[in-house]
Short mmCIF file of all heavy atoms in Angstrom, two decimals:
data_model
loop_
_atom_site.label_atom_id
_atom_site.label_comp_id
_atom_site.label_asym_id
_atom_site.label_seq_id
_atom_site.Cartn_x
_atom_site.Cartn_y
_atom_site.Cartn_z
N PRO A 1 34.22 14.86 -6.61
CA PRO A 1 33.72 13.76 -7.26
C PRO A 1 33.60 12.47 -6.35
O PRO A 1 32.80 11.63 -6.50
CB PRO A 1 34.74 13.43 -8.40
CG PRO A 1 35.19 14.81 -8.72
CD PRO A 1 35.36 15.50 -7.43
N GLU A 2 34.55 12.36 -5.36
CA GLU A 2 34.52 11.26 -4.46
C GLU A 2 33.28 11.31 -3.50
O GLU A 2 33.08 10.33 -2.80
CB GLU A 2 35.75 11.26 -3.60
CG GLU A 2 35.96 12.45 -2.69
CD GLU A 2 37.42 12.62 -2.16
OE1 GLU A 2 38.23 13.09 -2.96
OE2 GLU A 2 37.62 12.43 -0.97
N ASP A 3 32.63 12.41 -3.49
CA ASP A 3 31.37 12.50 -2.68
C ASP A 3 30.22 11.82 -3.40
O ASP A 3 29.15 11.66 -2.79
CB ASP A 3 30.98 13.94 -2.39
CG ASP A 3 32.01 14.69 -1.60
OD1 ASP A 3 32.51 14.04 -0.58
OD2 ASP A 3 32.32 15.86 -1.83
N THR A 4 30.41 11.38 -4.62
CA THR A 4 29.25 10.71 -5.42
C THR A 4 28.92 9.40 -4.63
O THR A 4 29.75 8.57 -4.45
CB THR A 4 29.71 10.45 -6.82
OG1 THR A 4 29.96 11.68 -7.47
CG2 THR A 4 28.67 9.64 -7.50
N ALA A 5 27.63 9.36 -4.29
CA ALA A 5 27.12 8.21 -3.58
C ALA A 5 25.63 8.30 -3.47
O ALA A 5 25.05 9.38 -3.67
CB ALA A 5 27.82 8.02 -2.25
N VAL A 6 24.97 7.22 -2.94
CA VAL A 6 23.65 7.34 -2.51
C VAL A 6 23.69 7.72 -0.95
O VAL A 6 24.38 7.08 -0.16
CB VAL A 6 22.84 6.00 -2.60
CG1 VAL A 6 21.55 6.12 -2.03
CG2 VAL A 6 22.78 5.57 -4.10
N TYR A 7 23.00 8.74 -0.58
CA TYR A 7 22.98 9.33 0.84
C TYR A 7 21.75 8.89 1.49
O TYR A 7 20.60 9.01 1.01
CB TYR A 7 23.17 10.78 0.79
CG TYR A 7 24.61 11.25 0.47
CD1 TYR A 7 25.11 11.05 -0.76
CD2 TYR A 7 25.37 11.86 1.43
CE1 TYR A 7 26.40 11.51 -1.04
CE2 TYR A 7 26.66 12.26 1.23
CZ TYR A 7 27.19 12.09 -0.13
OH TYR A 7 28.47 12.46 -0.33
N PHE A 8 21.89 8.35 2.69
CA PHE A 8 20.77 7.84 3.52
C PHE A 8 20.74 8.70 4.82
O PHE A 8 21.77 8.84 5.51
CB PHE A 8 20.87 6.45 3.82
CG PHE A 8 20.97 5.50 2.72
CD1 PHE A 8 22.08 5.21 2.01
CD2 PHE A 8 19.82 4.88 2.23
CE1 PHE A 8 22.20 4.33 0.91
CE2 PHE A 8 19.80 4.03 1.12
CZ PHE A 8 21.07 3.80 0.50
N CYS A 9 19.54 9.19 5.17
CA CYS A 9 19.43 9.81 6.54
C CYS A 9 19.06 8.66 7.49
O CYS A 9 18.41 7.67 7.15
CB CYS A 9 18.46 10.99 6.57
SG CYS A 9 16.71 10.51 6.17
N HIS A 10 19.38 8.98 8.69
CA HIS A 10 19.04 7.98 9.77
C HIS A 10 18.60 8.71 11.05
O HIS A 10 19.26 9.72 11.36
CB HIS A 10 20.21 7.03 10.16
CG HIS A 10 19.92 6.01 11.12
ND1 HIS A 10 20.11 6.25 12.44
CD2 HIS A 10 19.42 4.78 11.05
CE1 HIS A 10 19.73 5.14 13.19
NE2 HIS A 10 19.34 4.26 12.33
N ALA A 11 17.62 8.29 11.67
CA ALA A 11 17.07 8.93 12.84
C ALA A 11 16.86 7.94 13.97
O ALA A 11 16.25 6.88 13.74
CB ALA A 11 15.74 9.68 12.54
N ASP A 12 17.39 8.25 15.13
CA ASP A 12 17.17 7.54 16.32
C ASP A 12 16.40 8.39 17.36
O ASP A 12 16.93 9.40 17.79
CB ASP A 12 18.51 7.08 16.92
CG ASP A 12 18.40 6.11 18.05
OD1 ASP A 12 17.39 6.10 18.67
OD2 ASP A 12 19.45 5.43 18.34
N PHE A 13 15.23 7.89 17.62
CA PHE A 13 14.35 8.67 18.53
C PHE A 13 14.65 8.40 19.99
O PHE A 13 14.11 9.11 20.88
CB PHE A 13 12.91 8.42 18.27
CG PHE A 13 12.43 9.03 17.01
CD1 PHE A 13 12.65 8.31 15.73
CD2 PHE A 13 11.86 10.33 16.90
CE1 PHE A 13 12.21 8.91 14.54
CE2 PHE A 13 11.46 10.81 15.70
CZ PHE A 13 11.68 10.13 14.50
N GLY A 14 15.59 7.55 20.30
CA GLY A 14 16.10 7.38 21.59
C GLY A 14 15.22 6.69 22.65
O GLY A 14 15.47 6.73 23.82
N VAL A 15 14.22 5.93 22.12
CA VAL A 15 13.32 5.26 23.02
C VAL A 15 13.37 3.78 22.80
O VAL A 15 12.56 3.02 23.47
CB VAL A 15 11.93 5.75 22.90
CG1 VAL A 15 11.79 7.23 23.34
CG2 VAL A 15 11.38 5.67 21.45
N GLY A 16 14.25 3.23 22.01
CA GLY A 16 14.34 1.81 21.75
C GLY A 16 14.72 1.43 20.33
O GLY A 16 14.60 2.30 19.44
N PRO A 17 15.06 0.21 20.08
CA PRO A 17 15.45 -0.20 18.80
C PRO A 17 14.37 -0.08 17.72
O PRO A 17 14.70 0.05 16.51
CB PRO A 17 15.83 -1.77 19.03
CG PRO A 17 16.06 -1.89 20.45
CD PRO A 17 15.24 -0.86 21.13
N ASN A 18 13.13 -0.17 18.09
CA ASN A 18 12.07 0.00 17.11
C ASN A 18 11.83 1.46 16.73
O ASN A 18 10.98 1.70 15.84
CB ASN A 18 10.75 -0.61 17.72
CG ASN A 18 10.79 -2.05 17.88
OD1 ASN A 18 11.53 -2.82 17.18
ND2 ASN A 18 10.01 -2.60 18.84
N TRP A 19 12.60 2.31 17.26
CA TRP A 19 12.42 3.75 16.97
C TRP A 19 13.69 4.29 16.20
O TRP A 19 14.20 5.37 16.41
CB TRP A 19 12.16 4.60 18.19
CG TRP A 19 10.80 4.37 18.68
CD1 TRP A 19 10.33 3.41 19.49
CD2 TRP A 19 9.65 5.17 18.35
NE1 TRP A 19 8.99 3.49 19.67
CE2 TRP A 19 8.50 4.59 18.99
CE3 TRP A 19 9.43 6.32 17.59
CZ2 TRP A 19 7.29 5.15 18.82
CZ3 TRP A 19 8.20 6.86 17.48
CH2 TRP A 19 7.11 6.22 18.19
N ARG A 20 14.25 3.37 15.40
CA ARG A 20 15.33 3.82 14.55
C ARG A 20 14.95 3.59 13.13
O ARG A 20 14.44 2.52 12.77
CB ARG A 20 16.65 2.96 14.89
CG ARG A 20 17.18 3.19 16.24
CD ARG A 20 18.19 2.11 16.57
NE ARG A 20 18.65 2.13 17.93
CZ ARG A 20 19.41 1.26 18.57
NH1 ARG A 20 19.75 0.18 17.90
NH2 ARG A 20 19.75 1.47 19.87
N TYR A 21 15.16 4.59 12.20
CA TYR A 21 14.58 4.58 10.88
C TYR A 21 15.63 5.09 9.91
O TYR A 21 16.48 5.87 10.14
CB TYR A 21 13.34 5.37 10.82
CG TYR A 21 12.27 4.98 11.69
CD1 TYR A 21 12.18 5.48 12.97
CD2 TYR A 21 11.31 3.95 11.31
CE1 TYR A 21 11.13 5.02 13.82
CE2 TYR A 21 10.35 3.58 12.12
CZ TYR A 21 10.25 4.09 13.34
OH TYR A 21 9.22 3.68 14.23
N TRP A 22 15.45 4.53 8.68
CA TRP A 22 16.30 4.98 7.52
C TRP A 22 15.42 5.65 6.52
O TRP A 22 14.33 5.37 6.28
CB TRP A 22 16.95 3.79 6.85
CG TRP A 22 18.03 3.07 7.60
CD1 TRP A 22 17.99 1.97 8.35
CD2 TRP A 22 19.41 3.51 7.64
NE1 TRP A 22 19.16 1.63 8.86
CE2 TRP A 22 20.11 2.51 8.40
CE3 TRP A 22 20.17 4.52 6.98
CZ2 TRP A 22 21.51 2.69 8.69
CZ3 TRP A 22 21.48 4.53 7.28
CH2 TRP A 22 22.13 3.61 8.13
N GLY A 23 16.05 6.70 5.87
CA GLY A 23 15.43 7.31 4.69
C GLY A 23 15.61 6.38 3.54
O GLY A 23 16.35 5.38 3.61
N GLN A 24 14.93 6.73 2.43
CA GLN A 24 14.96 5.84 1.25
C GLN A 24 16.21 5.88 0.46
O GLN A 24 16.49 5.10 -0.37
CB GLN A 24 13.68 6.17 0.34
CG GLN A 24 13.92 7.46 -0.50
CD GLN A 24 13.65 8.74 0.21
OE1 GLN A 24 13.50 8.90 1.42
NE2 GLN A 24 13.57 9.88 -0.60
N GLY A 25 17.04 6.88 0.69
CA GLY A 25 18.28 7.03 -0.06
C GLY A 25 18.14 7.98 -1.21
O GLY A 25 17.04 7.96 -1.88
N THR A 26 18.99 8.83 -1.40
CA THR A 26 18.96 9.76 -2.63
C THR A 26 20.39 9.88 -3.19
O THR A 26 21.38 9.92 -2.53
CB THR A 26 18.47 11.17 -2.12
OG1 THR A 26 18.35 12.02 -3.23
CG2 THR A 26 19.46 11.77 -1.15
N GLN A 27 20.35 9.93 -4.53
CA GLN A 27 21.58 9.92 -5.34
C GLN A 27 22.22 11.32 -5.39
O GLN A 27 21.51 12.31 -5.72
CB GLN A 27 21.41 9.47 -6.74
CG GLN A 27 22.69 9.43 -7.64
CD GLN A 27 23.63 8.35 -7.22
OE1 GLN A 27 23.29 7.23 -7.04
NE2 GLN A 27 24.89 8.79 -7.09
#
């Protein structure tokens, strides 16, 4: 039950700050 949360993926493409992105989140 403690795993209950909104989960977000994150990706860093390693080429600069403008290449870091978040997913929309999923419950």
Side-chain angles (χ1 to χ4, degrees):
E2 65 195 71
D3 296 319
T4 296
V6 177
Y7 284 69
F8 300 86
C9 65
H10 183 269
D12 186 338
F13 289 85
V15 294
N18 293 333
W19 287 86
R20 299 169 183 167
Y21 300 92
W22 289 97
Q24 79 278 10
T26 184
Q27 178 70 48

